[in-house]
């Protein structure tokens, strides 16, 4: 039931089993496999999965969001998420908000040469600019950028489409 409620289809039972067995590196890899923003979501996910947790029939639901936060706290160095495969072409993504970051990772994993442009000086879009740091520490956003670097994604901040470059510039 918890996976049915998850908008990103996280494999909650599998990463929970890895934590239960103290296989934290596996838990990180499982979480990163289908969630490119796992560190961010460990802090801001609305955790609808907890409402359908089967533990409610026994006592109380598992604190899945907090467990995800714990898992991502175990991540050391470059995050799991794989290396880029060969193939693909070049792509520009405009906006380093959650959708842009997720698309950059998925395209990077598929072998695309990705350049991510953001008009602000920081990543995360509204997530990075509107959620207070006591709720979402900036280091969690930076943590989710680590896999992008491993995949060769170029990040260009302070670059606005239509002001600093045009579609014709990108095509050249």
């Amino acid at each position: 039931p918890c996976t049915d409620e998850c908008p990103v289809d996280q494999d909650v039972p599998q990463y929970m089993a890895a934590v239960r067995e103290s296989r934290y590196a596996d838990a990180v890899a499982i979480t990163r496999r289908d969630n490119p923003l796992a560190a961010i979501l460990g802090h801001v996910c609305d955790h609808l999965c907890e409402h359908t947790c089967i533990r409610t029939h026994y006592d109380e639901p598992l604190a899945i969001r907090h467990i995800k936060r714990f898992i991502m706290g175990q991540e050391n160095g470059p995050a799991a998420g794989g290396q880029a495969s060969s193939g693909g072409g070049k792509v520009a993504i405009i906006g380093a908000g959650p959708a842009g970051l997720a698309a950059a990772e998925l395209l990077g994993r598929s072998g695309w040469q990705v350049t991510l442009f953001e008009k602000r000086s920081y990543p995360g879009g509204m997530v990075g600019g509107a959620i207070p740091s006591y709720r979402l520490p900036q280091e969690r956003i930076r943590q989710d950028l680590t896999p992008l670097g491993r995949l060769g994604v170029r990040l260009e901040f302070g670059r606005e489409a239509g002001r600093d470059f045009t579609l014709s510039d990108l095509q050249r």
Side-chain angles (χ1 to χ4, degrees), residues 1-19:
C2 53
T3 57
D4 291 340
E5 289 298 322
C6 182
V8 296
D9 296 323
Q10 284 270 244
D11 194 349
V12 177
Q14 193 173 9
Y15 75 61
M16 296 290 266
V19 169

Side-chain angles (χ1 to χ4, degrees), residues 71-118:
I71 290 167
M72 298 317 297
Q74 308 307 303
E75 184 175 54
N76 294 319
Q83 299 290 330
S85 62
S86 59
K90 293 182 180 182
V91 65
I93 297 174
I94 312 302
L101 295 173
E105 182 171 339
L106 295 173
L107 289 167
R109 277 195 220 169
S110 298
W112 288 83
Q113 294 176 22
V114 179
T115 302
L116 185 63
F117 295 96
E118 172 57 55

Side-chain angles (χ1 to χ4, degrees), residues 20-161:
R20 184 176 55 249
E21 297 163 7
S22 300
R23 295 182 295 114
Y24 303 127
D26 290 343
V28 169
I30 293 163
T31 303
R32 283 267 182 219
R33 182 177 60 217
D34 50 12
N35 185 351
L37 304 175
I40 292 170
L41 287 174
H43 285 267
V44 299
C45 176
D46 60 2
H47 56 93
L48 295 174
C49 53
E50 292 180 21
H51 301 298
T52 60
C53 180
I54 60 171
R55 292 292 313 172
T56 58
H57 301 295
Y58 302 104
D59 44 32
E60 60 187 74
L62 296 172
I64 296 171
R65 178 179 60 189
H66 291 287
I67 293 169
K68 185 182 316 206
R69 187 180 302 177
F70 169 79
I71 290 167
M72 298 317 297
Q74 308 307 303
E75 184 175 54
N76 294 319
Q83 299 290 330
S85 62
S86 59
K90 293 182 180 182
V91 65
I93 297 174
I94 312 302
L101 295 173
E105 182 171 339
L106 295 173
L107 289 167
R109 277 195 220 169
S110 298
W112 288 83
Q113 294 176 22
V114 179
T115 302
L116 185 63
F117 295 96
E118 172 57 55
K119 72 178 180 178
R120 295 176 183 84
S121 61
Y122 57 87
M126 290 300 290
V127 169
I131 298 176
S133 61
Y134 69 85
R135 181 76 167 98
L136 175 62
Q138 288 296 310
E139 58 264 19
R140 295 305 124 224
I141 295 172
R142 287 191 296 276
Q143 182 180 356
D144 282 340
L145 295 179
T146 300
L148 298 180
R150 285 187 57 214
L151 295 170
V153 172
R154 289 183 34 217
L155 299 164
E156 296 194 17
F157 296 105
R159 305 270 325 268
E160 185 174 352

